[in-house]
Amino acid sequence: MMDSIDFGQPPKRRKRIDSLVCPSCGEKTLKKIVYGMPGDDFDFQKNFVGGCIPALEDIGCKNCEWVGLRSNLEKENS
């Protein structure tokens, strides 16, 4: 006899990062933080430069330079 597999609810899709509002300035200018030295092909429009030392923060605001955790921000905006 096989056990039934409970797949439950499918995982919730993440909101698009450009739909999230910065908690500091209220603008929709959040971008993914990329750590390290940007190369010649780095897309400054799509990403936020985080510097050489990686940190926990994974998103940043291009308008006011706020940085934070996307998971925390998504919980606040749920």
Side-chain angles (χ1 to χ4, degrees), residues 2-3 12 15-16 18 30 33 45-46 52 57 67:
M2 292 185 76
D3 291 330
K12 196 173 183 180
K15 292 181 180 183
R16 290 177 48 108
D18 59 2
L30 297 176
I33 296 177
Q45 296 298 318
K46 187 177 177 183
C52 296
E57 291 84 4
V67 294

Side-chain angles (χ1 to χ4, degrees), residues 48-68:
F48 188 87
V49 179
C52 296
I53 301 172
L56 292 176
E57 291 84 4
D58 59 352
I59 58 174
C61 179
K62 287 288 203 176
N63 186 50
C64 71
E65 298 189 6
W66 171 89
V67 294

Side-chain angles (χ1 to χ4, degrees), residues 17-22 25-31 61-63:
I17 197 165
D18 59 2
S19 71
L20 298 173
V21 176
C22 174
C25 69
E27 297 291 325
K28 289 186 177 182
T29 53
L30 297 176
K31 305 292 180 194
C61 179
K62 287 288 203 176
N63 186 50

